[in-house]
Amino acid sequence: MLSVTPIYLAAAVALYSFMAFTIIANRRKRQISIGDGNQKDFARIIRGHANFAEYAPLTLLAIGVAELTGTAHLLLHACGVMLLVGRGLHAYCFLFTPIGMKLRVTGMVLTFISLWTASAAALLTIFV
């Protein structure tokens, strides 16, 4: 039974929803139904949301599999926190800053560490 992963899933859904509602509000304000209207700032917001949709599910899956294979809860929580902080920094960069490369890079590093750690933990647990 999963007891750690659902915590981070729920938090990720909240962040994802916030990003989606930001895009919806921008679409209404800019009167753009499909695409980005060739507006670079809006394209950036859309891309930030898409990036979240690309990385968060796979990382949550890795955390869930690690939990199912018996990985220590402390390590699962560390992966979950890194994922949320990483995706949060990345989202902040895309939604609210014109550049913010440091935040973006930090967010990606934390996301990758979470993904790789959870994946490695799942493998190690079944082989050790």
Side-chain angles (χ1 to χ4, degrees), residues 40-123:
K40 285 190 176 192
D41 63 324
F42 190 38
R44 180 180 176 87
I45 293 170
I46 293 168
R47 188 63 213 129
H49 183 253
N51 191 276
F52 186 97
E54 294 162 0
Y55 284 95
L58 185 60
T59 307
L60 286 163
L61 178 63
I63 293 169
V65 170
E67 184 170 5
L68 289 171
T69 61
T71 297
H73 282 196
L74 183 60
L75 184 58
L76 297 170
H77 282 294
C79 288
V81 168
M82 283 190 290
L83 172 65
L84 293 178
V85 171
R87 294 291 80 205
L89 289 173
H90 198 267
Y92 179 81
C93 171
F94 273 84
L95 296 177
F96 302 114
T97 67
I99 323 172
M101 275 308 279
K102 287 183 182 178
L103 292 176
R104 184 177 174 191
V105 170
T106 302
M108 284 308 302
V109 167
L110 288 171
T111 300
F112 276 120
I113 291 172
S114 175
L115 175 63
W116 296 335
T117 300
S119 299
L123 281 173

Side-chain angles (χ1 to χ4, degrees), residues 15 24 57 66 115 123 125:
L15 180 54
I24 292 166
L115 175 63
L123 281 173
T125 319

Side-chain angles (χ1 to χ4, degrees), residues 29-43:
K29 181 175 117 183
R30 298 168 192 251
Q31 297 182 344
I32 300 171
S33 151
I34 297 174
D36 59 23
N38 292 322
Q39 297 178 18
K40 285 190 176 192
D41 63 324
F42 190 38

